[in-house]
Amino acid sequence: QVQLVESGGGLVQAGGSLRLSCAASARTFSSYAMGWFRRPPGKEREFVTAINWSGGSTYYADFVKGRFTISRDTAKNTVYLQINSLKPEDTAVYYCAASFGRLPSSAYEYDSWGQGTQVTVSS
């Protein structure tokens, strides 16, 4: 397993932007597909986006609609989630996760999880 630590969350006004980071401990970081999930208050955890081991392929949930961008920096063992045009409904705890799958969108396909970072969007 790999240890993951998210950062970059916070309180932001609607229409603003945030970049979340997820630092991985493993030297085999490049072997993992990485994903972002979120859990809105009072709701189930949901898939947001994933990126494959090389960074050459990505997959997004339908609700993203061009506002979210996932990327990875293998040299820094870090995956990022850029969120633009934030909406109050984006308020959630955001989690990154690591998987040996290709572009998994189901939580059960992920082996390691971070502790989450809170994103709160005010209207």
Coordinates of all heavy atoms in Angstrom, one line a residue, residues 13-110:
Q13 N -15.1 31.3 -2.2 CA -16.3 31.8 -2.7 C -16.7 31.1 -4.0 O -15.8 30.7 -4.7 CB -16.3 33.3 -2.9 CG -16.2 34.1 -1.6 CD -16.4 35.6 -1.8 OE1 -16.0 36.1 -2.9 NE2 -16.9 36.3 -0.8
A14 N -18.0 31.0 -4.2 CA -18.5 30.5 -5.5 C -17.8 31.2 -6.7 O -17.7 32.4 -6.6 CB -20.0 30.6 -5.6
G15 N -17.4 30.5 -7.7 CA -16.8 31.0 -8.8 C -15.2 31.0 -8.7 O -14.5 31.2 -9.7
G16 N -14.7 30.7 -7.5 CA -13.3 30.7 -7.3 C -12.7 29.4 -7.7 O -13.4 28.5 -8.3
S17 N -11.4 29.2 -7.5 CA -10.7 28.0 -7.9 C -9.8 27.5 -6.7 O -9.5 28.2 -5.8 CB -9.7 28.3 -9.1 OG -10.5 28.7 -10.2
L18 N -9.6 26.2 -6.8 CA -8.7 25.6 -5.8 C -7.8 24.5 -6.6 O -8.3 24.0 -7.6 CB -9.4 24.9 -4.7 CG -10.0 25.7 -3.5 CD1 -10.8 24.8 -2.6 CD2 -8.8 26.4 -2.8
R19 N -6.6 24.3 -6.1 CA -5.9 23.1 -6.5 C -5.6 22.3 -5.4 O -4.9 22.7 -4.4 CB -4.6 23.6 -7.2 CG -3.9 22.4 -7.9 CD -2.7 22.7 -8.7 NE -1.5 22.9 -7.8 CZ -0.2 22.8 -8.2 NH1 0.0 22.6 -9.5 NH2 0.8 23.1 -7.4
L20 N -6.1 21.1 -5.4 CA -5.8 20.1 -4.4 C -4.6 19.3 -4.8 O -4.4 19.0 -6.0 CB -7.0 19.1 -4.2 CG -8.4 19.8 -3.9 CD1 -9.4 18.8 -3.7 CD2 -8.3 20.8 -2.8
S21 N -3.8 18.9 -3.8 CA -2.6 18.1 -4.0 C -2.7 16.8 -3.2 O -3.4 16.8 -2.1 CB -1.4 18.8 -3.6 OG -1.2 20.0 -4.3
C22 N -2.1 15.8 -3.7 CA -2.1 14.5 -3.0 C -0.7 13.9 -3.1 O -0.2 13.6 -4.2 CB -3.1 13.5 -3.6 SG -3.0 11.8 -2.9
A23 N 0.1 13.9 -2.0 CA 1.4 13.4 -2.0 C 1.5 12.0 -1.6 O 0.8 11.6 -0.6 CB 2.3 14.3 -1.1
A24 N 2.2 11.2 -2.4 CA 2.3 9.7 -2.2 C 3.6 9.4 -1.7 O 4.6 9.9 -2.1 CB 2.0 9.0 -3.5
S25 N 3.6 8.4 -0.8 CA 4.9 8.0 -0.2 C 5.7 7.0 -1.0 O 6.9 6.9 -0.8 CB 4.6 7.4 1.2 OG 3.9 6.2 1.1
A26 N 5.0 6.2 -1.8 CA 5.7 5.1 -2.5 C 6.6 5.5 -3.6 O 6.3 6.4 -4.4 CB 4.6 4.1 -3.1
R27 N 7.8 4.8 -3.7 CA 8.7 5.0 -4.8 C 8.1 4.4 -6.1 O 8.6 4.7 -7.1 CB 10.0 4.4 -4.4 CG 10.8 5.2 -3.4 CD 12.1 4.6 -3.1 NE 12.0 3.4 -2.3 CZ 13.0 2.6 -1.9 NH1 14.2 2.9 -2.2 NH2 12.7 1.6 -1.2
T28 N 7.1 3.6 -5.9 CA 6.4 3.0 -7.0 C 5.2 3.8 -7.5 O 4.3 3.2 -8.1 CB 6.0 1.5 -6.7 OG1 5.2 1.5 -5.6 CG2 7.3 0.7 -6.5
F29 N 5.2 5.0 -7.1 CA 4.0 5.9 -7.5 C 3.6 5.8 -8.9 O 2.4 5.8 -9.2 CB 4.4 7.3 -7.1 CG 3.4 8.4 -7.5 CD1 2.1 8.4 -6.9 CD2 3.6 9.2 -8.6 CE1 1.2 9.4 -7.2 CE2 2.7 10.2 -8.9 CZ 1.4 10.2 -8.3
S30 N 4.6 5.7 -9.8 CA 4.3 5.7 -11.2 C 3.6 4.4 -11.6 O 3.1 4.3 -12.8 CB 5.5 5.9 -12.0 OG 6.5 4.8 -11.8
S31 N 3.5 3.4 -10.7 CA 2.8 2.2 -11.0 C 1.3 2.2 -10.8 O 0.6 1.4 -11.2 CB 3.4 1.0 -10.2 OG 4.7 0.8 -10.4
Y32 N 0.9 3.3 -10.1 CA -0.5 3.4 -9.7 C -1.3 4.3 -10.6 O -0.8 5.4 -11.0 CB -0.6 3.9 -8.3 CG 0.0 3.1 -7.2 CD1 1.3 3.1 -6.8 CD2 -0.9 2.2 -6.5 CE1 1.8 2.3 -5.8 CE2 -0.4 1.4 -5.5 CZ 0.9 1.4 -5.1 OH 1.4 0.6 -4.1
A33 N -2.5 3.9 -10.8 CA -3.5 4.8 -11.3 C -4.0 5.6 -10.0 O -4.0 5.0 -8.9 CB -4.7 4.1 -11.9
M34 N -4.4 6.9 -10.2 CA -4.8 7.7 -9.1 C -6.2 8.2 -9.3 O -6.5 8.6 -10.5 CB -3.8 8.8 -8.9 CG -2.4 8.4 -8.6 SD -2.2 7.5 -7.0 CE -2.7 8.8 -5.8
G35 N -6.9 8.3 -8.3 CA -8.3 8.9 -8.4 C -8.6 9.9 -7.3 O -7.9 9.9 -6.3
W36 N -9.6 10.7 -7.6 CA -10.2 11.6 -6.6 C -11.6 11.2 -6.4 O -12.4 11.0 -7.4 CB -10.1 13.1 -7.1 CG -8.7 13.6 -7.0 CD1 -7.8 13.7 -8.0 CD2 -8.1 14.2 -5.8 NE1 -6.6 14.3 -7.5 CE2 -6.8 14.7 -6.2 CE3 -8.5 14.5 -4.5 CZ2 -5.9 15.3 -5.3 CZ3 -7.7 15.1 -3.6 CH2 -6.4 15.5 -4.0
F37 N -12.0 11.2 -5.2 CA -13.4 11.0 -4.8 C -13.8 12.2 -3.9 O -13.0 12.9 -3.4 CB -13.6 9.7 -4.1 CG -13.5 8.5 -4.9 CD1 -12.2 8.1 -5.4 CD2 -14.6 7.7 -5.3 CE1 -12.1 6.9 -6.1 CE2 -14.4 6.6 -6.1 CZ -13.2 6.2 -6.5
R38 N -15.1 12.3 -3.7 CA -15.6 13.3 -2.7 C -16.8 12.8 -2.0 O -17.5 12.0 -2.5 CB -15.9 14.7 -3.4 CG -17.1 14.7 -4.3 CD -17.2 16.0 -5.0 NE -18.5 16.1 -5.7 CZ -18.8 17.2 -6.4 NH1 -18.0 18.2 -6.5 NH2 -20.0 17.2 -7.0
R39 N -17.0 13.3 -0.8 CA -18.1 13.0 0.0 C -18.8 14.3 0.5 O -18.3 15.0 1.4 CB -17.8 12.2 1.2 CG -19.0 11.7 2.0 CD -18.6 11.1 3.3 NE -17.8 9.9 3.2 CZ -18.2 8.7 3.0 NH1 -19.5 8.5 2.9 NH2 -17.4 7.7 2.9
P40 N -19.9 14.7 -0.2 CA -20.6 15.9 0.2 C -21.3 15.7 1.6 O -21.5 14.5 1.9 CB -21.7 16.1 -0.9 CG -21.2 15.3 -2.1 CD -20.4 14.1 -1.5
P41 N -21.6 16.7 2.3 CA -22.2 16.5 3.6 C -23.5 15.8 3.5 O -24.4 16.1 2.7 CB -22.4 17.9 4.1 CG -22.2 18.8 3.0 CD -21.3 18.1 2.0
G42 N -23.6 14.7 4.3 CA -24.9 13.9 4.3 C -25.1 13.0 3.1 O -26.2 12.4 3.0
K43 N -24.1 12.9 2.3 CA -24.3 12.1 1.1 C -23.2 11.0 1.0 O -22.2 11.0 1.8 CB -24.2 12.9 -0.2 CG -25.3 14.0 -0.3 CD -25.3 14.7 -1.6 CE -26.4 15.7 -1.7 NZ -26.4 16.5 -2.9
E44 N -23.4 10.1 0.1 CA -22.4 9.0 -0.2 C -21.2 9.5 -0.9 O -21.2 10.6 -1.6 CB -23.0 7.9 -1.0 CG -24.2 7.2 -0.3 CD -23.8 6.4 0.9 OE1 -22.7 5.8 0.8 OE2 -24.5 6.5 1.9
R45 N -20.1 8.8 -0.7 CA -18.9 9.2 -1.4 C -19.1 8.9 -2.9 O -19.8 8.0 -3.3 CB -17.7 8.3 -1.0 CG -16.4 8.5 -1.7 CD -15.3 7.6 -1.0 NE -15.7 6.2 -0.9 CZ -15.0 5.3 -0.2 NH1 -14.0 5.6 0.4 NH2 -15.5 4.0 -0.2
E46 N -18.5 9.8 -3.8 CA -18.7 9.7 -5.2 C -17.4 9.9 -5.9 O -16.5 10.6 -5.5 CB -19.8 10.7 -5.7 CG -19.4 12.2 -5.5 CD -20.5 13.1 -5.9 OE1 -21.6 12.7 -6.3 OE2 -20.3 14.3 -5.7
F47 N -17.4 9.2 -7.1 CA -16.2 9.3 -7.9 C -16.1 10.7 -8.6 O -17.2 11.2 -9.1 CB -16.2 8.2 -9.0 CG -15.2 8.3 -10.0 CD1 -13.9 8.0 -9.8 CD2 -15.5 8.8 -11.3 CE1 -12.9 8.1 -10.8 CE2 -14.6 8.9 -12.3 CZ -13.3 8.5 -12.1
V48 N -14.9 11.3 -8.7 CA -14.8 12.5 -9.4 C -13.9 12.3 -10.7 O -14.4 12.7 -11.8 CB -14.0 13.6 -8.5 CG1 -13.8 14.8 -9.3 CG2 -14.9 13.8 -7.2
T49 N -12.7 11.8 -10.5 CA -11.9 11.6 -11.7 C -10.7 10.7 -11.4 O -10.4 10.4 -10.2 CB -11.3 13.0 -12.1 OG1 -10.4 12.8 -13.2 CG2 -10.5 13.6 -10.9
A50 N -10.1 10.1 -12.5 CA -9.0 9.2 -12.3 C -8.0 9.5 -13.4 O -8.4 10.0 -14.5 CB -9.4 7.8 -12.4
I51 N -6.7 9.2 -13.2 CA -5.7 9.3 -14.1 C -4.8 8.0 -14.1 O -4.6 7.4 -13.1 CB -4.8 10.5 -13.8 CG1 -3.8 10.8 -14.9 CG2 -4.1 10.4 -12.5 CD1 -3.2 12.2 -14.8
N52 N -4.4 7.6 -15.3 CA -3.7 6.3 -15.3 C -2.2 6.5 -14.9 O -1.8 7.6 -14.6 CB -3.8 5.7 -16.7 CG -2.9 6.3 -17.8 OD1 -2.6 7.5 -17.6 ND2 -2.5 5.6 -18.8
W53 N -1.5 5.4 -14.9 CA -0.2 5.4 -14.3 C 0.8 6.4 -15.0 O 1.6 7.0 -14.4 CB 0.5 4.0 -14.4 CG 0.7 3.5 -15.7 CD1 -0.2 2.9 -16.6 CD2 1.9 3.7 -16.5 NE1 0.4 2.6 -17.8 CE2 1.7 3.1 -17.8 CE3 3.2 4.2 -16.2 CZ2 2.7 3.1 -18.8 CZ3 4.1 4.2 -17.2 CH2 3.9 3.6 -18.5
S54 N 0.6 6.6 -16.3 CA 1.5 7.4 -17.1 C 1.0 8.9 -17.2 O 1.8 9.8 -17.5 CB 1.7 6.9 -18.5 OG 0.4 7.1 -19.2
G55 N -0.2 9.1 -16.8 CA -0.8 10.4 -17.0 C -1.3 10.7 -18.4 O -1.9 11.7 -18.7
G56 N -1.3 9.6 -19.2 CA -1.7 9.8 -20.6 C -3.2 9.7 -20.8 O -3.8 10.0 -21.8
S57 N -3.9 9.1 -19.8 CA -5.4 8.9 -19.9 C -6.0 9.4 -18.6 O -5.5 9.2 -17.5 CB -5.7 7.4 -20.1 OG -5.1 6.9 -21.3
T58 N -7.2 10.0 -18.8 CA -8.0 10.5 -17.7 C -9.4 10.1 -17.9 O -9.9 9.9 -19.0 CB -7.8 12.0 -17.5 OG1 -8.2 12.7 -18.7 CG2 -6.4 12.4 -17.2
Y59 N -10.2 10.2 -16.8 CA -11.6 9.8 -16.9 C -12.3 10.7 -15.8 O -11.8 10.8 -14.7 CB -11.8 8.4 -16.6 CG -13.3 7.9 -16.6 CD1 -14.0 8.1 -17.7 CD2 -13.8 7.4 -15.5 CE1 -15.4 7.6 -17.7 CE2 -15.1 7.0 -15.5 CZ -15.9 7.1 -16.6 OH -17.2 6.7 -16.6
Y60 N -13.4 11.3 -16.2 CA -14.1 12.2 -15.4 C -15.6 11.8 -15.2 O -16.2 11.3 -16.1 CB -14.1 13.6 -15.9 CG -12.7 14.3 -16.0 CD1 -11.9 14.2 -17.1 CD2 -12.2 15.0 -14.9 CE1 -10.6 14.7 -17.1 CE2 -10.9 15.5 -14.9 CZ -10.2 15.4 -16.0 OH -8.9 16.0 -16.1
A61 N -16.1 12.1 -14.0 CA -17.5 11.9 -13.8 C -18.3 13.0 -14.6 O -17.7 14.0 -14.9 CB -17.8 12.1 -12.3
D62 N -19.5 12.6 -14.9 CA -20.3 13.5 -15.8 C -20.5 14.9 -15.2 O -20.5 15.9 -15.9 CB -21.6 12.9 -16.1 CG -21.5 11.7 -17.0 OD1 -20.5 11.6 -17.7 OD2 -22.5 10.9 -17.1
F63 N -20.6 15.0 -13.9 CA -20.9 16.3 -13.3 C -19.8 17.2 -13.3 O -19.9 18.4 -13.1 CB -21.4 16.1 -11.8 CG -20.3 15.6 -10.9 CD1 -19.4 16.6 -10.4 CD2 -20.2 14.3 -10.5 CE1 -18.4 16.1 -9.5 CE2 -19.2 13.9 -9.7 CZ -18.3 14.8 -9.2
V64 N -18.6 16.8 -13.7 CA -17.4 17.6 -13.7 C -17.5 18.7 -14.8 O -17.2 19.9 -14.5 CB -16.1 16.8 -14.0 CG1 -14.9 17.6 -14.4 CG2 -15.8 15.9 -12.8
K65 N -18.0 18.3 -15.9 CA -18.3 19.3 -17.0 C -17.2 20.3 -17.3 O -17.5 21.5 -17.4 CB -19.7 20.0 -16.7 CG -20.8 19.0 -16.7 CD -22.1 19.7 -16.4 CE -23.3 18.8 -16.4 NZ -24.6 19.4 -16.1
G66 N -16.0 19.8 -17.4 CA -14.9 20.7 -17.8 C -14.4 21.6 -16.7 O -13.4 22.3 -16.9
R67 N -14.9 21.5 -15.5 CA -14.4 22.4 -14.4 C -13.3 21.8 -13.6 O -12.5 22.5 -12.9 CB -15.6 22.7 -13.5 CG -16.7 23.4 -14.1 CD -17.7 23.9 -13.0 NE -18.3 22.7 -12.3 CZ -18.2 22.5 -11.0 NH1 -17.5 23.3 -10.3 NH2 -18.8 21.5 -10.5
F68 N -13.1 20.5 -13.7 CA -12.1 19.8 -12.9 C -11.0 19.3 -13.9 O -11.3 18.8 -15.0 CB -12.7 18.6 -12.2 CG -13.6 18.9 -11.1 CD1 -14.6 19.9 -11.2 CD2 -13.5 18.3 -9.9 CE1 -15.5 20.2 -10.2 CE2 -14.4 18.5 -8.8 CZ -15.4 19.5 -9.0
T69 N -9.7 19.3 -13.4 CA -8.6 18.7 -14.2 C -7.7 18.0 -13.3 O -7.2 18.5 -12.3 CB -7.8 19.8 -14.9 OG1 -8.7 20.6 -15.8 CG2 -6.7 19.2 -15.8
I70 N -7.5 16.7 -13.6 CA -6.6 15.9 -12.8 C -5.2 15.8 -13.6 O -5.2 15.8 -14.8 CB -7.1 14.5 -12.6 CG1 -6.2 13.7 -11.6 CG2 -7.3 13.7 -13.9 CD1 -6.8 12.4 -11.2
S71 N -4.1 15.9 -12.8 CA -2.8 15.7 -13.4 C -1.9 15.1 -12.4 O -2.2 15.0 -11.2 CB -2.3 17.1 -13.8 OG -2.1 17.9 -12.7
R72 N -0.7 14.7 -12.8 CA 0.2 14.0 -11.9 C 1.6 14.4 -12.3 O 1.9 14.7 -13.5 CB 0.1 12.5 -11.9 CG 0.4 11.8 -13.2 CD 0.0 10.3 -13.2 NE 0.7 9.6 -12.1 CZ 0.2 8.4 -11.6 NH1 -0.9 7.9 -12.1 NH2 0.9 7.8 -10.7
D73 N 2.5 14.5 -11.3 CA 3.9 14.8 -11.4 C 4.7 13.7 -10.8 O 4.8 13.6 -9.6 CB 4.2 16.1 -10.7 CG 5.6 16.6 -11.0 OD1 6.5 15.7 -11.3 OD2 5.9 17.8 -10.9
T74 N 5.2 12.8 -11.7 CA 5.8 11.6 -11.2 C 7.1 11.9 -10.4 O 7.4 11.3 -9.4 CB 6.2 10.6 -12.3 OG1 5.0 10.3 -13.0 CG2 6.9 9.4 -11.8
A75 N 7.8 13.0 -10.8 CA 9.0 13.4 -10.1 C 8.7 13.8 -8.7 O 9.6 13.7 -7.8 CB 9.7 14.5 -10.9
K76 N 7.5 14.3 -8.4 CA 7.2 14.8 -7.1 C 6.3 13.8 -6.4 O 5.8 14.1 -5.2 CB 6.5 16.1 -7.2 CG 7.4 17.2 -7.7 CD 6.7 18.6 -7.7 CE 7.6 19.7 -8.2 NZ 6.9 21.0 -8.2
N77 N 6.0 12.7 -7.0 CA 5.0 11.7 -6.4 C 3.7 12.4 -6.0 O 3.2 12.1 -4.9 CB 5.7 11.0 -5.2 CG 6.6 9.8 -5.6 OD1 6.9 9.7 -6.7 ND2 7.0 9.1 -4.6
T78 N 3.2 13.2 -6.8 CA 2.0 14.0 -6.5 C 1.0 14.0 -7.6 O 1.4 14.1 -8.8 CB 2.4 15.4 -6.1 OG1 3.4 15.4 -5.0 CG2 1.2 16.3 -5.7
V79 N -0.3 13.9 -7.2 CA -1.4 14.1 -8.1 C -2.1 15.3 -7.7 O -2.2 15.6 -6.5 CB -2.3 12.8 -8.2 CG1 -2.9 12.5 -6.8 CG2 -3.3 12.9 -9.2
Y80 N -2.7 16.0 -8.7 CA -3.4 17.3 -8.4 C -4.8 17.2 -9.0 O -5.1 16.5 -9.9 CB -2.6 18.4 -9.2 CG -1.2 18.6 -8.8 CD1 -0.2 18.0 -9.6 CD2 -0.8 19.2 -7.6 CE1 1.1 18.2 -9.2 CE2 0.5 19.4 -7.3 CZ 1.5 18.8 -8.1 OH 2.8 19.0 -7.7
L81 N -5.6 18.0 -8.3 CA -7.0 18.2 -8.8 C -7.2 19.7 -8.9 O -7.3 20.4 -7.8 CB -8.0 17.5 -8.0 CG -9.5 17.7 -8.4 CD1 -9.7 17.0 -9.8 CD2 -10.4 17.1 -7.4
Q82 N -7.3 20.3 -10.1 CA -7.6 21.7 -10.3 C -9.1 21.8 -10.4 O -9.7 21.1 -11.2 CB -6.9 22.2 -11.5 CG -7.2 23.7 -11.8 CD -6.6 24.6 -10.9 OE1 -5.5 24.4 -10.4 NE2 -7.3 25.7 -10.5
I83 N -9.7 22.6 -9.6 CA -11.2 22.9 -9.6 C -11.4 24.3 -9.9 O -11.0 25.2 -9.1 CB -11.9 22.4 -8.3 CG1 -11.4 21.1 -7.8 CG2 -13.4 22.4 -8.5 CD1 -11.9 20.7 -6.5
N84 N -12.1 24.6 -11.0 CA -12.4 26.0 -11.4 C -13.9 26.2 -11.3 O -14.7 25.2 -11.2 CB -12.0 26.2 -12.8 CG -10.5 26.1 -12.9 OD1 -9.7 26.5 -12.0 ND2 -10.0 25.6 -14.1
S85 N -14.3 27.4 -11.3 CA -15.8 27.8 -11.2 C -16.5 27.0 -10.1 O -17.5 26.4 -10.4 CB -16.4 27.5 -12.6 OG -15.7 28.2 -13.6
L86 N -15.9 27.1 -8.9 CA -16.5 26.3 -7.8 C -17.9 26.7 -7.5 O -18.3 27.9 -7.6 CB -15.6 26.5 -6.6 CG -14.4 25.6 -6.5 CD1 -13.3 26.2 -5.7 CD2 -14.8 24.2 -6.1
K87 N -18.7 25.7 -7.2 CA -20.1 25.9 -6.8 C -20.4 25.4 -5.4 O -19.6 24.6 -4.9 CB -21.0 25.1 -7.8 CG -20.8 25.4 -9.3 CD -21.6 24.5 -10.1 CE -21.4 24.7 -11.6 NZ -22.2 23.8 -12.4
P88 N -21.4 26.0 -4.8 CA -21.7 25.5 -3.4 C -21.9 24.0 -3.3 O -21.5 23.3 -2.3 CB -23.0 26.2 -3.0 CG -22.9 27.5 -3.8 CD -22.2 27.1 -5.1
E89 N -22.4 23.4 -4.4 CA -22.6 21.9 -4.4 C -21.3 21.1 -4.5 O -21.3 19.9 -4.4 CB -23.6 21.5 -5.5 CG -23.2 22.0 -6.8 CD -24.0 23.3 -7.2 OE1 -24.1 24.2 -6.3 OE2 -24.5 23.4 -8.4
D90 N -20.2 21.8 -4.7 CA -18.9 21.2 -4.7 C -18.3 21.0 -3.3 O -17.3 20.4 -3.1 CB -17.8 22.0 -5.5 CG -18.1 22.0 -7.0 OD1 -18.6 20.9 -7.5 OD2 -17.9 23.0 -7.6
T91 N -19.0 21.6 -2.3 CA -18.6 21.4 -0.9 C -18.6 19.9 -0.5 O -19.6 19.2 -0.7 CB -19.6 22.2 0.0 OG1 -19.5 23.6 -0.3 CG2 -19.3 21.9 1.5
A92 N -17.5 19.5 0.0 CA -17.3 18.1 0.3 C -15.9 17.8 0.9 O -15.0 18.7 0.8 CB -17.4 17.2 -1.0
V93 N -15.7 16.7 1.4 CA -14.4 16.2 1.7 C -13.9 15.5 0.5 O -14.5 14.6 0.0 CB -14.4 15.3 2.9 CG1 -12.9 14.8 3.2 CG2 -14.9 16.0 4.2
Y94 N -12.7 15.9 0.0 CA -12.1 15.3 -1.2 C -11.0 14.3 -0.8 O -10.1 14.7 0.0 CB -11.6 16.4 -2.1 CG -12.7 17.1 -2.8 CD1 -13.5 18.0 -2.2 CD2 -12.9 16.9 -4.2 CE1 -14.5 18.7 -2.8 CE2 -13.9 17.6 -4.9 CZ -14.7 18.5 -4.2 OH -15.7 19.1 -4.9
Y95 N -11.1 13.1 -1.4 CA -10.1 12.1 -1.1 C -9.3 11.7 -2.3 O -9.9 11.6 -3.4 CB -10.8 10.8 -0.5 CG -11.6 11.0 0.7 CD1 -13.0 11.4 0.6 CD2 -11.1 10.8 2.0 CE1 -13.7 11.6 1.8 CE2 -11.8 11.0 3.1 CZ -13.1 11.4 3.0 OH -13.9 11.5 4.2
C96 N -8.1 11.4 -2.2 CA -7.4 10.8 -3.3 C -7.1 9.3 -2.9 O -7.1 9.0 -1.7 CB -6.0 11.5 -3.6 SG -4.7 11.3 -2.4
A97 N -6.9 8.5 -3.9 CA -6.8 7.1 -3.7 C -5.9 6.5 -4.8 O -5.8 7.1 -5.9 CB -8.2 6.4 -3.8
A98 N -5.3 5.4 -4.5 CA -4.3 4.8 -5.5 C -4.8 3.4 -5.8 O -5.4 2.6 -4.9 CB -3.0 4.7 -4.8
S99 N -4.6 3.0 -7.1 CA -5.1 1.7 -7.5 C -4.1 1.1 -8.6 O -3.5 1.9 -9.3 CB -6.5 1.9 -8.2 OG -6.9 0.7 -8.9
F100 N -4.1 -0.2 -8.6 CA -3.4 -0.9 -9.7 C -4.2 -1.1 -10.9 O -3.7 -1.6 -11.9 CB -2.8 -2.2 -9.2 CG -1.6 -2.1 -8.3 CD1 -1.7 -2.5 -7.0 CD2 -0.4 -1.6 -8.8 CE1 -0.6 -2.4 -6.2 CE2 0.7 -1.5 -8.0 CZ 0.6 -1.9 -6.7
G101 N -5.4 -0.6 -10.9 CA -6.3 -0.7 -12.1 C -5.9 0.3 -13.1 O -5.0 1.1 -12.9
R102 N -6.6 0.3 -14.2 CA -6.2 1.2 -15.3 C -6.8 2.6 -15.1 O -6.0 3.6 -15.0 CB -6.7 0.6 -16.7 CG -6.3 1.5 -17.8 CD -6.7 0.9 -19.2 NE -6.4 1.9 -20.3 CZ -7.2 2.8 -20.7 NH1 -8.4 3.0 -20.1 NH2 -6.8 3.6 -21.7
L103 N -8.1 2.7 -15.1 CA -8.8 4.0 -14.8 C -10.0 3.7 -14.0 O -11.1 3.9 -14.5 CB -9.2 4.7 -16.1 CG -8.1 5.5 -16.8 CD1 -8.7 6.1 -18.1 CD2 -7.6 6.7 -16.0
P104 N -9.8 3.2 -12.8 CA -11.0 2.7 -12.0 C -11.8 3.9 -11.6 O -11.3 5.0 -11.2 CB -10.3 2.0 -10.8 CG -9.0 2.6 -10.7 CD -8.5 3.0 -12.1
S105 N -13.1 3.7 -11.6 CA -14.1 4.7 -11.1 C -14.9 4.2 -9.9 O -15.7 4.9 -9.4 CB -15.1 5.0 -12.2 OG -15.8 3.9 -12.7
S106 N -14.6 2.9 -9.5 CA -15.3 2.4 -8.4 C -14.4 2.4 -7.2 O -13.2 2.0 -7.3 CB -15.8 0.9 -8.6 OG -16.7 0.9 -9.7
A107 N -14.9 2.7 -6.0 CA -14.1 2.8 -4.8 C -13.4 1.5 -4.4 O -12.3 1.5 -3.9 CB -14.9 3.4 -3.7
Y108 N -14.1 0.4 -4.7 CA -13.6 -0.9 -4.3 C -12.4 -1.2 -5.1 O -11.6 -2.1 -4.7 CB -14.7 -2.0 -4.4 CG -14.9 -2.4 -5.8 CD1 -14.2 -3.4 -6.4 CD2 -16.0 -1.8 -6.5 CE1 -14.5 -3.9 -7.7 CE2 -16.2 -2.2 -7.8 CZ -15.5 -3.3 -8.4 OH -15.8 -3.7 -9.7
E109 N -12.1 -0.6 -6.2 CA -10.9 -0.9 -7.0 C -9.7 -0.2 -6.5 O -8.6 -0.3 -7.0 CB -11.2 -0.5 -8.4 CG -12.3 -1.2 -9.1 CD -12.5 -0.8 -10.5 OE1 -13.3 0.1 -10.7 OE2 -11.9 -1.4 -11.4
Y110 N -9.8 0.7 -5.5 CA -8.7 1.4 -4.9 C -8.2 0.8 -3.6 O -9.0 0.4 -2.8 CB -9.1 2.9 -4.7 CG -9.2 3.6 -6.0 CD1 -10.4 3.6 -6.7 CD2 -8.1 4.4 -6.4 CE1 -10.5 4.3 -7.9 CE2 -8.2 5.1 -7.6 CZ -9.4 5.0 -8.4 OH -9.5 5.7 -9.6

